[in-house]
Amino acid sequence: MTPPSGGMPTGQRGAAAWRPAPSLLLLPLLLLAAGLLHLAVGAKTIPLATVVDALLRPEAGNFDHHVLWNLRMPRLAGALTVGASLGLAGALIQAVTRNPLGEPQLLGLNAGAAFAVAATTALSVPVLADPAIRPLTAAVGGALLFAAVMGMARAGRSGMTIIKLTFCGIALSAFVSALTSALLILDEDSLQDLRIWLAGDLAEAGAAVIRHSLPVALAGALLAALLSRRLHTLALGDSAATGLGTHVARTRAAGLAAAALLCGAAVSIAGPLGFIGLVAPHMARRLDGRRARSRLLAAAACGALLVVCADIVSRVALAPRELATGVVTALVGVPVFLALVLRRRT
């Protein structure tokens, strides 16, 4: 059989198209280095040699090994899960809305998820307030508010535009965040533990909450992987995607569901951590913007790297005190958001 033009058979061309860019291969190495540093720093600095020894040959009676495995390892696992979930959710949102400013914090997903958790905790709803169900509760809350944002953005003669969607998201997020703050004031006793969590922090990221949230995050990631080919055609425009056999409405709904699951898992672990879903997809596009699947993988890896690094900074910047991780991500994310807004001509 004569190969198509270019001298490469179709199957080989497809395989080459999926080959990751060399820059993507650096991400696992950067994640490994950041992870080791994350385990080493804290109230007590542990030498990297001890960290490696604890990972390879853990000793039950060694105090440093105990600290690493029982305190710092769950926090690192939480940082990786939260970062990957938010980075992937941001990439999904930007793909299904074709909005480069799309991000869980700006478009209501984080605020809706946080309000759902705070409300069910304040009302002491037996099932929904259960820690094992909290990720799904957060996911439903985030999805409902994001759906409201999309509905408002479509209203009016002009229909949905990037700026309109962003402003609707910011407005509804602020409104729901105010309701969450009101709940904290009205029920200070039962919601005291949520105050630090609502600032976006990994200090309470224990093994139990990660164990409950990880299946939800994996479900969202699996759905995102199944959507990757459709997202690639969706980037061509609704008409072109429909012509290529993609059901646009279903793809957007599935993308919303995946993003909601990912945000629900992330918010359950660390609270509403902002701007990771904005910065990570833009980093991923610079590394490898050719295919949707590569971008999704890169966005997840970049998100994980950002949160791990932000958590390191939060613990060492004002040592022995700790900043909330969300403070560090906001200090990085807000300038990026403003730069993206200023770069747009419309």
Short mmCIF file of all heavy atoms in Angstrom, two decimals, residues 143-210:
data_model
loop_
_atom_site.label_atom_id
_atom_site.label_comp_id
_atom_site.label_asym_id
_atom_site.label_seq_id
_atom_site.Cartn_x
_atom_site.Cartn_y
_atom_site.Cartn_z
N ALA A 143 -20.60 22.23 40.44
CA ALA A 143 -21.27 22.08 39.15
C ALA A 143 -22.50 22.97 39.05
O ALA A 143 -22.76 23.59 38.00
CB ALA A 143 -21.65 20.62 38.93
N LEU A 144 -23.27 23.05 40.13
CA LEU A 144 -24.49 23.87 40.10
C LEU A 144 -24.16 25.35 39.91
O LEU A 144 -24.82 26.05 39.12
CB LEU A 144 -25.29 23.66 41.38
CG LEU A 144 -25.97 22.30 41.54
CD1 LEU A 144 -26.63 22.18 42.91
CD2 LEU A 144 -26.99 22.08 40.43
N LEU A 145 -23.14 25.82 40.62
CA LEU A 145 -22.81 27.24 40.48
C LEU A 145 -22.20 27.53 39.11
O LEU A 145 -22.49 28.57 38.49
CB LEU A 145 -21.84 27.67 41.58
CG LEU A 145 -21.58 29.19 41.65
CD1 LEU A 145 -22.89 29.95 41.84
CD2 LEU A 145 -20.61 29.53 42.76
N PHE A 146 -21.39 26.62 38.60
CA PHE A 146 -20.82 26.82 37.27
C PHE A 146 -21.92 26.81 36.21
O PHE A 146 -21.88 27.59 35.25
CB PHE A 146 -19.78 25.74 36.98
CG PHE A 146 -19.04 25.94 35.68
CD1 PHE A 146 -18.65 27.21 35.27
CD2 PHE A 146 -18.70 24.87 34.88
CE1 PHE A 146 -17.96 27.40 34.08
CE2 PHE A 146 -18.01 25.04 33.70
CZ PHE A 146 -17.64 26.31 33.29
N ALA A 147 -22.92 25.95 36.37
CA ALA A 147 -24.05 25.94 35.44
C ALA A 147 -24.80 27.28 35.49
O ALA A 147 -25.24 27.80 34.46
CB ALA A 147 -24.99 24.79 35.77
N ALA A 148 -24.93 27.83 36.70
CA ALA A 148 -25.58 29.14 36.83
C ALA A 148 -24.76 30.23 36.14
O ALA A 148 -25.31 31.13 35.48
CB ALA A 148 -25.78 29.48 38.30
N VAL A 149 -23.44 30.15 36.27
CA VAL A 149 -22.57 31.12 35.60
C VAL A 149 -22.73 31.03 34.09
O VAL A 149 -22.87 32.05 33.39
CB VAL A 149 -21.10 30.87 36.00
CG1 VAL A 149 -20.15 31.69 35.12
CG2 VAL A 149 -20.88 31.22 37.47
N MET A 150 -22.74 29.81 33.56
CA MET A 150 -22.91 29.62 32.12
C MET A 150 -24.27 30.15 31.65
O MET A 150 -24.38 30.78 30.60
CB MET A 150 -22.78 28.14 31.78
CG MET A 150 -21.40 27.55 32.03
SD MET A 150 -20.20 27.98 30.77
CE MET A 150 -20.73 26.92 29.42
N GLY A 151 -25.32 29.90 32.45
CA GLY A 151 -26.64 30.39 32.08
C GLY A 151 -26.71 31.90 32.05
O GLY A 151 -27.29 32.49 31.12
N MET A 152 -26.13 32.55 33.04
CA MET A 152 -26.12 34.01 33.05
C MET A 152 -25.29 34.57 31.90
O MET A 152 -25.66 35.58 31.29
CB MET A 152 -25.55 34.52 34.39
CG MET A 152 -26.49 34.39 35.56
SD MET A 152 -25.82 35.19 37.04
CE MET A 152 -25.72 36.90 36.49
N ALA A 153 -24.19 33.93 31.60
CA ALA A 153 -23.32 34.43 30.53
C ALA A 153 -23.98 34.33 29.16
O ALA A 153 -23.68 35.11 28.26
CB ALA A 153 -22.00 33.65 30.53
N ARG A 154 -24.89 33.36 29.00
CA ARG A 154 -25.58 33.21 27.71
C ARG A 154 -26.75 34.17 27.56
O ARG A 154 -27.25 34.36 26.46
CB ARG A 154 -26.10 31.77 27.57
CG ARG A 154 -25.02 30.74 27.30
CD ARG A 154 -25.64 29.45 26.81
NE ARG A 154 -24.62 28.46 26.51
CZ ARG A 154 -24.27 27.48 27.33
NH1 ARG A 154 -24.86 27.37 28.50
NH2 ARG A 154 -23.34 26.61 26.99
N ALA A 155 -27.21 34.76 28.66
CA ALA A 155 -28.37 35.65 28.61
C ALA A 155 -28.03 36.93 27.85
O ALA A 155 -26.87 37.36 27.79
CB ALA A 155 -28.84 35.97 30.02
N GLY A 156 -29.04 37.54 27.28
CA GLY A 156 -28.84 38.80 26.56
C GLY A 156 -28.63 38.58 25.08
O GLY A 156 -28.46 37.47 24.59
N ARG A 157 -28.66 39.68 24.34
CA ARG A 157 -28.56 39.61 22.88
C ARG A 157 -27.20 39.16 22.40
O ARG A 157 -27.08 38.48 21.38
CB ARG A 157 -28.88 40.99 22.28
CG ARG A 157 -30.31 41.46 22.53
CD ARG A 157 -30.52 42.82 21.91
NE ARG A 157 -31.88 43.31 22.14
CZ ARG A 157 -32.31 44.50 21.73
NH1 ARG A 157 -31.48 45.32 21.07
NH2 ARG A 157 -33.55 44.86 21.97
N SER A 158 -26.17 39.54 23.11
CA SER A 158 -24.81 39.24 22.63
C SER A 158 -24.42 37.79 22.84
O SER A 158 -23.43 37.33 22.28
CB SER A 158 -23.80 40.15 23.34
OG SER A 158 -23.84 39.93 24.75
N GLY A 159 -25.19 37.05 23.65
CA GLY A 159 -24.82 35.68 23.93
C GLY A 159 -23.59 35.62 24.83
O GLY A 159 -23.21 36.61 25.47
N MET A 160 -22.96 34.47 24.88
CA MET A 160 -21.82 34.28 25.77
C MET A 160 -20.53 34.74 25.10
O MET A 160 -20.21 34.33 24.00
CB MET A 160 -21.69 32.81 26.18
CG MET A 160 -20.62 32.57 27.24
SD MET A 160 -20.62 30.89 27.91
CE MET A 160 -20.11 29.96 26.46
N THR A 161 -19.82 35.62 25.78
CA THR A 161 -18.50 36.04 25.34
C THR A 161 -17.50 35.73 26.46
O THR A 161 -17.89 35.45 27.60
CB THR A 161 -18.46 37.55 25.03
OG1 THR A 161 -18.72 38.28 26.25
CG2 THR A 161 -19.50 37.92 23.98
N ILE A 162 -16.23 35.79 26.12
CA ILE A 162 -15.20 35.45 27.10
C ILE A 162 -15.26 36.40 28.30
O ILE A 162 -15.25 35.97 29.46
CB ILE A 162 -13.81 35.49 26.43
CG1 ILE A 162 -13.67 34.31 25.47
CG2 ILE A 162 -12.70 35.46 27.48
CD1 ILE A 162 -12.39 34.32 24.68
N ILE A 163 -15.33 37.69 28.03
CA ILE A 163 -15.34 38.67 29.12
C ILE A 163 -16.63 38.55 29.93
O ILE A 163 -16.61 38.62 31.17
CB ILE A 163 -15.17 40.09 28.56
CG1 ILE A 163 -13.82 40.22 27.86
CG2 ILE A 163 -15.30 41.12 29.67
CD1 ILE A 163 -12.63 39.97 28.76
N LYS A 164 -17.74 38.33 29.25
CA LYS A 164 -19.02 38.20 29.94
C LYS A 164 -19.03 36.98 30.85
O LYS A 164 -19.49 37.04 32.00
CB LYS A 164 -20.14 38.11 28.91
CG LYS A 164 -21.55 38.24 29.47
CD LYS A 164 -22.55 38.25 28.33
CE LYS A 164 -23.97 38.28 28.85
NZ LYS A 164 -24.95 38.22 27.73
N LEU A 165 -18.52 35.88 30.35
CA LEU A 165 -18.44 34.65 31.15
C LEU A 165 -17.56 34.87 32.37
O LEU A 165 -17.89 34.46 33.49
CB LEU A 165 -17.90 33.51 30.29
CG LEU A 165 -17.67 32.17 31.00
CD1 LEU A 165 -18.97 31.60 31.53
CD2 LEU A 165 -17.00 31.17 30.05
N THR A 166 -16.43 35.53 32.17
CA THR A 166 -15.50 35.77 33.28
C THR A 166 -16.13 36.67 34.34
O THR A 166 -16.04 36.39 35.54
CB THR A 166 -14.20 36.40 32.75
OG1 THR A 166 -13.64 35.56 31.74
CG2 THR A 166 -13.19 36.57 33.87
N PHE A 167 -16.78 37.75 33.91
CA PHE A 167 -17.39 38.66 34.87
C PHE A 167 -18.55 38.01 35.62
O PHE A 167 -18.72 38.23 36.82
CB PHE A 167 -17.88 39.93 34.16
CG PHE A 167 -16.77 40.88 33.80
CD1 PHE A 167 -16.97 41.90 32.89
CD2 PHE A 167 -15.52 40.75 34.37
CE1 PHE A 167 -15.95 42.77 32.56
CE2 PHE A 167 -14.48 41.62 34.05
CZ PHE A 167 -14.70 42.63 33.15
N CYS A 168 -19.35 37.21 34.91
CA CYS A 168 -20.44 36.49 35.59
C CYS A 168 -19.87 35.52 36.62
O CYS A 168 -20.42 35.38 37.73
CB CYS A 168 -21.29 35.74 34.57
SG CYS A 168 -22.35 36.78 33.55
N GLY A 169 -18.78 34.86 36.27
CA GLY A 169 -18.15 33.95 37.22
C GLY A 169 -17.62 34.66 38.44
O GLY A 169 -17.82 34.21 39.58
N ILE A 170 -16.97 35.79 38.23
CA ILE A 170 -16.43 36.55 39.36
C ILE A 170 -17.56 37.05 40.25
O ILE A 170 -17.48 36.98 41.49
CB ILE A 170 -15.58 37.73 38.84
CG1 ILE A 170 -14.31 37.20 38.16
CG2 ILE A 170 -15.21 38.67 39.97
CD1 ILE A 170 -13.49 38.27 37.47
N ALA A 171 -18.64 37.55 39.64
CA ALA A 171 -19.76 38.09 40.41
C ALA A 171 -20.44 37.01 41.25
O ALA A 171 -20.67 37.18 42.45
CB ALA A 171 -20.76 38.76 39.47
N LEU A 172 -20.78 35.89 40.62
CA LEU A 172 -21.46 34.83 41.36
C LEU A 172 -20.54 34.19 42.40
O LEU A 172 -20.99 33.80 43.48
CB LEU A 172 -21.98 33.77 40.40
CG LEU A 172 -23.28 34.12 39.66
CD1 LEU A 172 -23.71 32.97 38.76
CD2 LEU A 172 -24.39 34.45 40.64
N SER A 173 -19.25 34.08 42.08
CA SER A 173 -18.30 33.55 43.07
C SER A 173 -18.24 34.45 44.30
O SER A 173 -18.22 33.96 45.44
CB SER A 173 -16.91 33.42 42.44
OG SER A 173 -16.89 32.44 41.43
N ALA A 174 -18.20 35.76 44.07
CA ALA A 174 -18.17 36.70 45.19
C ALA A 174 -19.44 36.60 46.02
O ALA A 174 -19.40 36.64 47.26
CB ALA A 174 -17.98 38.12 44.67
N PHE A 175 -20.58 36.47 45.34
CA PHE A 175 -21.86 36.37 46.05
C PHE A 175 -21.92 35.12 46.92
O PHE A 175 -22.27 35.18 48.11
CB PHE A 175 -23.01 36.37 45.04
CG PHE A 175 -24.36 36.16 45.65
CD1 PHE A 175 -24.97 37.16 46.40
CD2 PHE A 175 -25.03 34.96 45.49
CE1 PHE A 175 -26.21 36.97 46.97
CE2 PHE A 175 -26.28 34.75 46.05
CZ PHE A 175 -26.87 35.76 46.80
N VAL A 176 -21.55 33.99 46.35
CA VAL A 176 -21.61 32.73 47.10
C VAL A 176 -20.54 32.71 48.20
O VAL A 176 -20.78 32.17 49.29
CB VAL A 176 -21.46 31.53 46.14
CG1 VAL A 176 -21.34 30.23 46.91
CG2 VAL A 176 -22.66 31.47 45.21
N SER A 177 -19.38 33.30 47.94
CA SER A 177 -18.36 33.38 48.98
C SER A 177 -18.84 34.23 50.15
O SER A 177 -18.53 33.93 51.32
CB SER A 177 -17.07 33.97 48.41
OG SER A 177 -16.51 33.12 47.43
N ALA A 178 -19.63 35.27 49.85
CA ALA A 178 -20.21 36.08 50.92
C ALA A 178 -21.20 35.26 51.75
O ALA A 178 -21.26 35.39 52.98
CB ALA A 178 -20.90 37.31 50.33
N LEU A 179 -21.99 34.42 51.08
CA LEU A 179 -22.90 33.54 51.81
C LEU A 179 -22.13 32.57 52.71
O LEU A 179 -22.54 32.30 53.84
CB LEU A 179 -23.77 32.76 50.82
CG LEU A 179 -24.78 33.56 49.99
CD1 LEU A 179 -25.54 32.62 49.05
CD2 LEU A 179 -25.75 34.32 50.89
N THR A 180 -21.02 32.06 52.20
CA THR A 180 -20.20 31.16 53.01
C THR A 180 -19.65 31.89 54.23
O THR A 180 -19.63 31.34 55.34
CB THR A 180 -19.04 30.60 52.16
OG1 THR A 180 -19.57 29.97 50.99
CG2 THR A 180 -18.24 29.59 52.95
N SER A 181 -19.21 33.12 54.04
CA SER A 181 -18.71 33.92 55.17
C SER A 181 -19.81 34.17 56.19
O SER A 181 -19.57 34.15 57.41
CB SER A 181 -18.14 35.25 54.66
OG SER A 181 -17.06 35.04 53.80
N ALA A 182 -21.03 34.40 55.70
CA ALA A 182 -22.15 34.60 56.62
C ALA A 182 -22.41 33.35 57.45
O ALA A 182 -22.72 33.44 58.65
CB ALA A 182 -23.40 34.98 55.82
N LEU A 183 -22.29 32.19 56.83
CA LEU A 183 -22.46 30.94 57.58
C LEU A 183 -21.43 30.83 58.69
O LEU A 183 -21.73 30.38 59.80
CB LEU A 183 -22.34 29.75 56.63
CG LEU A 183 -23.53 29.44 55.73
CD1 LEU A 183 -23.19 28.29 54.79
CD2 LEU A 183 -24.76 29.08 56.55
N LEU A 184 -20.21 31.24 58.39
CA LEU A 184 -19.15 31.17 59.40
C LEU A 184 -19.44 32.07 60.58
O LEU A 184 -19.15 31.74 61.73
CB LEU A 184 -17.80 31.55 58.77
CG LEU A 184 -17.21 30.59 57.75
CD1 LEU A 184 -15.92 31.16 57.18
CD2 LEU A 184 -16.95 29.23 58.37
N ILE A 185 -20.03 33.23 60.30
CA ILE A 185 -20.35 34.17 61.38
C ILE A 185 -21.52 33.68 62.21
O ILE A 185 -21.52 33.77 63.45
CB ILE A 185 -20.65 35.56 60.78
CG1 ILE A 185 -19.39 36.13 60.11
CG2 ILE A 185 -21.15 36.52 61.86
CD1 ILE A 185 -19.64 37.41 59.34
N LEU A 186 -22.53 33.13 61.54
CA LEU A 186 -23.74 32.70 62.23
C LEU A 186 -23.54 31.41 63.03
O LEU A 186 -24.28 31.15 63.98
CB LEU A 186 -24.88 32.51 61.22
CG LEU A 186 -25.34 33.78 60.50
CD1 LEU A 186 -26.37 33.44 59.43
CD2 LEU A 186 -25.92 34.78 61.50
N ASP A 187 -22.58 30.61 62.63
CA ASP A 187 -22.36 29.33 63.31
C ASP A 187 -20.87 29.15 63.56
O ASP A 187 -20.22 28.28 62.98
CB ASP A 187 -22.92 28.19 62.45
CG ASP A 187 -23.04 26.89 63.23
OD1 ASP A 187 -22.62 26.87 64.40
OD2 ASP A 187 -23.53 25.90 62.66
N GLU A 188 -20.33 29.99 64.44
CA GLU A 188 -18.89 30.00 64.67
C GLU A 188 -18.39 28.70 65.29
O GLU A 188 -17.29 28.24 64.98
CB GLU A 188 -18.52 31.18 65.57
CG GLU A 188 -18.71 32.53 64.92
CD GLU A 188 -18.20 33.65 65.80
OE1 GLU A 188 -17.62 33.34 66.86
OE2 GLU A 188 -18.37 34.82 65.43
N ASP A 189 -19.18 28.10 66.17
CA ASP A 189 -18.70 26.93 66.90
C ASP A 189 -18.48 25.73 65.98
O ASP A 189 -17.39 25.14 65.95
CB ASP A 189 -19.68 26.57 68.01
CG ASP A 189 -19.76 27.64 69.08
OD1 ASP A 189 -18.75 28.36 69.24
OD2 ASP A 189 -20.80 27.77 69.73
N SER A 190 -19.51 25.36 65.22
CA SER A 190 -19.40 24.14 64.41
C SER A 190 -18.54 24.34 63.17
O SER A 190 -18.05 23.37 62.60
CB SER A 190 -20.80 23.65 64.00
OG SER A 190 -21.45 24.63 63.22
N LEU A 191 -18.36 25.59 62.74
CA LEU A 191 -17.60 25.84 61.52
C LEU A 191 -16.21 26.41 61.80
O LEU A 191 -15.55 26.89 60.88
CB LEU A 191 -18.37 26.81 60.61
CG LEU A 191 -19.72 26.30 60.09
CD1 LEU A 191 -20.38 27.34 59.20
CD2 LEU A 191 -19.55 25.00 59.33
N GLN A 192 -15.77 26.38 63.05
CA GLN A 192 -14.47 26.94 63.39
C GLN A 192 -13.35 26.26 62.61
O GLN A 192 -12.40 26.90 62.15
CB GLN A 192 -14.23 26.79 64.90
CG GLN A 192 -12.93 27.42 65.38
CD GLN A 192 -12.91 28.92 65.20
OE1 GLN A 192 -13.93 29.59 65.31
NE2 GLN A 192 -11.73 29.46 64.91
N ASP A 193 -13.46 24.94 62.46
CA ASP A 193 -12.41 24.20 61.76
C ASP A 193 -12.34 24.53 60.28
O ASP A 193 -11.32 24.25 59.62
CB ASP A 193 -12.63 22.69 61.93
CG ASP A 193 -12.45 22.25 63.38
OD1 ASP A 193 -11.79 22.99 64.12
OD2 ASP A 193 -12.97 21.18 63.74
N LEU A 194 -13.41 25.11 59.74
CA LEU A 194 -13.44 25.40 58.30
C LEU A 194 -12.78 26.73 57.96
O LEU A 194 -12.56 27.02 56.79
CB LEU A 194 -14.88 25.42 57.79
CG LEU A 194 -15.64 24.09 57.79
CD1 LEU A 194 -17.04 24.29 57.22
CD2 LEU A 194 -14.89 23.05 56.97
N ARG A 195 -12.47 27.54 58.95
CA ARG A 195 -11.95 28.88 58.66
C ARG A 195 -10.61 28.82 57.92
O ARG A 195 -10.42 29.49 56.90
CB ARG A 195 -11.81 29.69 59.96
CG ARG A 195 -13.15 30.05 60.58
CD ARG A 195 -12.97 30.89 61.83
NE ARG A 195 -14.27 31.23 62.40
CZ ARG A 195 -15.02 32.25 62.02
NH1 ARG A 195 -14.59 33.05 61.07
NH2 ARG A 195 -16.18 32.49 62.59
N ILE A 196 -9.69 28.05 58.45
CA ILE A 196 -8.39 27.93 57.78
C ILE A 196 -8.55 27.19 56.46
O ILE A 196 -7.94 27.55 55.45
CB ILE A 196 -7.39 27.21 58.70
CG1 ILE A 196 -7.16 28.03 59.98
CG2 ILE A 196 -6.07 26.97 57.98
CD1 ILE A 196 -6.24 27.36 60.98
N TRP A 197 -9.38 26.17 56.46
CA TRP A 197 -9.64 25.40 55.23
C TRP A 197 -10.16 26.29 54.11
O TRP A 197 -9.76 26.14 52.95
CB TRP A 197 -10.63 24.29 55.57
CG TRP A 197 -11.11 23.48 54.41
CD1 TRP A 197 -10.47 22.43 53.82
CD2 TRP A 197 -12.33 23.64 53.71
NE1 TRP A 197 -11.23 21.93 52.78
CE2 TRP A 197 -12.38 22.65 52.70
CE3 TRP A 197 -13.41 24.52 53.83
CZ2 TRP A 197 -13.45 22.53 51.82
CZ3 TRP A 197 -14.48 24.40 52.96
CH2 TRP A 197 -14.49 23.41 51.97
N LEU A 198 -11.02 27.25 54.43
CA LEU A 198 -11.59 28.12 53.41
C LEU A 198 -10.56 29.09 52.83
O LEU A 198 -10.79 29.68 51.77
CB LEU A 198 -12.78 28.90 53.98
CG LEU A 198 -14.07 28.10 54.14
CD1 LEU A 198 -15.09 28.88 54.95
CD2 LEU A 198 -14.64 27.72 52.78
N ALA A 199 -9.45 29.28 53.52
CA ALA A 199 -8.39 30.13 52.98
C ALA A 199 -7.56 29.38 51.94
O ALA A 199 -6.75 29.99 51.24
CB ALA A 199 -7.48 30.62 54.11
N GLY A 200 -7.78 28.09 51.82
CA GLY A 200 -7.00 27.27 50.90
C GLY A 200 -5.70 26.85 51.54
O GLY A 200 -4.69 27.53 51.42
N ASP A 201 -5.74 25.73 52.26
CA ASP A 201 -4.55 25.33 53.02
C ASP A 201 -4.43 23.82 53.06
O ASP A 201 -5.44 23.10 53.09
CB ASP A 201 -4.64 25.89 54.44
CG ASP A 201 -3.32 25.77 55.18
OD1 ASP A 201 -2.29 26.23 54.63
OD2 ASP A 201 -3.30 25.23 56.28
N LEU A 202 -3.20 23.34 53.06
CA LEU A 202 -2.92 21.91 53.08
C LEU A 202 -2.50 21.40 54.45
O LEU A 202 -2.13 20.23 54.58
CB LEU A 202 -1.82 21.58 52.06
CG LEU A 202 -2.24 21.61 50.59
CD1 LEU A 202 -1.03 21.78 49.69
CD2 LEU A 202 -3.00 20.34 50.23
N ALA A 203 -2.57 22.25 55.46
CA ALA A 203 -2.09 21.86 56.78
C ALA A 203 -2.87 20.68 57.35
O ALA A 203 -2.32 19.86 58.09
CB ALA A 203 -2.15 23.05 57.74
N GLU A 204 -4.15 20.59 57.02
CA GLU A 204 -4.99 19.52 57.56
C GLU A 204 -5.20 18.38 56.56
O GLU A 204 -6.14 17.59 56.71
CB GLU A 204 -6.35 20.09 57.98
CG GLU A 204 -6.27 21.20 59.01
CD GLU A 204 -5.62 20.73 60.31
OE1 GLU A 204 -5.86 19.57 60.69
OE2 GLU A 204 -4.88 21.52 60.92
N ALA A 205 -4.36 18.32 55.55
CA ALA A 205 -4.52 17.28 54.52
C ALA A 205 -3.99 15.95 55.06
O ALA A 205 -2.82 15.61 54.88
CB ALA A 205 -3.78 17.68 53.25
N GLY A 206 -4.86 15.22 55.72
CA GLY A 206 -4.46 13.93 56.28
C GLY A 206 -4.77 12.78 55.35
O GLY A 206 -5.38 12.94 54.29
N ALA A 207 -4.34 11.61 55.77
CA ALA A 207 -4.51 10.43 54.92
C ALA A 207 -5.98 10.10 54.69
O ALA A 207 -6.37 9.65 53.61
CB ALA A 207 -3.79 9.24 55.55
N ALA A 208 -6.83 10.34 55.70
CA ALA A 208 -8.24 9.98 55.58
C ALA A 208 -8.94 10.80 54.51
O ALA A 208 -9.65 10.27 53.65
CB ALA A 208 -8.94 10.15 56.92
N VAL A 209 -8.74 12.12 54.54
CA VAL A 209 -9.42 12.98 53.56
C VAL A 209 -8.90 12.72 52.15
O VAL A 209 -9.66 12.76 51.18
CB VAL A 209 -9.27 14.47 53.95
CG1 VAL A 209 -7.82 14.94 53.82
CG2 VAL A 209 -10.18 15.34 53.09
N ILE A 210 -7.63 12.40 52.04
CA ILE A 210 -7.08 12.08 50.71
C ILE A 210 -7.66 10.76 50.22
O ILE A 210 -8.00 10.61 49.03
CB ILE A 210 -5.54 12.02 50.77
CG1 ILE A 210 -4.98 13.40 51.11
CG2 ILE A 210 -4.96 11.53 49.45
CD1 ILE A 210 -3.51 13.41 51.43
#
